[in-house]
Amino acid sequence: MLYIGSHVGFNKSNQLVGSVKEALSYGANTFMFYTGAPQNTTRNPIIDELTLEALSIMKENNMDYSKVIVHAPYIMNLCNEEKFSFSVEFLTHELERVNQLGIKYLVLHPGSHVGQGIETGINRIIEGINMAFQNLGNNNQVTILLETMAGKGTEVGTNIQELKKIIEGIKDQSHIGVCLDTCHLNDAGYDLNDFDHYLDEFDQEIGIEKIGCIHINDSKNEKSSHKDRHENIGFGTIGFDTLISIIYNERLKDIPRILETPYVDRLYPPYQEEIEMIRKKEFNKDLINIIKNKANNT
Ligand code: FE
Ligand code: FE
Ligand code: ZN
């Protein structure tokens, strides 16, 4: 079965109920959200009544809760010495929130080593994740998925070997995995036209069963650009056919596919139209105009 969804909102008053309804409006059967603004660490308490209500809406709509993803705020950086204890504490609270929501996966950007070197960066990430897991003790059900990064600045986790080193250092092997991001893989230098080759290498080094989620994005930039700028499906350098073959790759079936493509004119979510296009496996070059027109008519 194809599990496809997008990034959706999660606000203070409606919480998961709002997220589920937004996902349904796009024709999605899964979704990903931040438990607060991605660029800051202000977080409100989770209201269990809303979670239960959301669960019943999901059940009515045959949505599988185990495919839902939370993304940790991207300003967290376990490699930054000054912010290390803050980041560990925040990661601990984030894991607690995701556990409270009953969600299985938390996507985490490994971090940026900010000049201390990859090795030091990797060691800090390992240490930080181990400490956060230790803080939760036996209460943790959440798997952290390290995201593959584009290699912007001093990002760690740009290739299979770096992710492998981090994973090997994690004590709780049953709660660590990887989230692939097609835009990031392209920008990091992997040839997505030969995605099976990437999966072979990943399987040899880490094990394909560690992949828990795939972010599906086209890229505004060429392979190896190390830029990390997402583009709408079929409108970037990766292209529609390559993305479709990744989305429908049998070796990754049952793993949620999440769109993080840009809003049209920064205002209009493209997800309903993109999901439709993906289900039909047919590129619509007028997609952006159709979204603009629809927005103008409502
Ligand atoms: Fe991300
Ligand atoms: Fe991503
Ligand atoms: Zn990105």
Side-chain angles (χ1 to χ4, degrees), residues 134-201:
Q134 199 177 358
N135 288 340
L136 268 91
N138 292 328
N139 299 320
N140 181 49
Q141 304 289 330
V142 175
T143 294
I144 290 180
L145 300 177
L146 303 166
E147 185 163 348
T148 59
M149 302 312 288
K152 200 172 57 179
T154 60
E155 277 172 352
V156 181
T158 322
N159 58 50
I160 292 173
Q161 287 67 33
E162 289 170 20
L163 293 169
K164 181 185 180 177
K165 277 188 196 153
I166 300 171
I167 290 170
E168 281 174 348
I170 304 303
K171 288 189 188 127
D172 186 351
Q173 281 293 307
S174 58
H175 291 110
I176 193 77
V178 173
C179 170
L180 307 181
D181 184 310
T182 55
C183 168
H184 300 178
L185 289 174
N186 173 76
D187 291 14
Y190 287 104
D191 180 7
L192 293 180
N193 290 309
D194 200 359
F195 186 62
D196 272 304
H197 178 84
Y198 175 81
L199 288 183
D200 289 342
E201 191 187 334

Side-chain angles (χ1 to χ4, degrees), residues 32 71 107 109 147-148 179-181 184 215 217 228 230 260:
M32 179 180 83
H71 198 310
V107 170
H109 292 184
E147 185 163 348
T148 59
C179 170
L180 307 181
D181 184 310
H184 300 178
H215 290 165
N217 305 302
D228 189 5
H230 302 185
E260 301 173 300

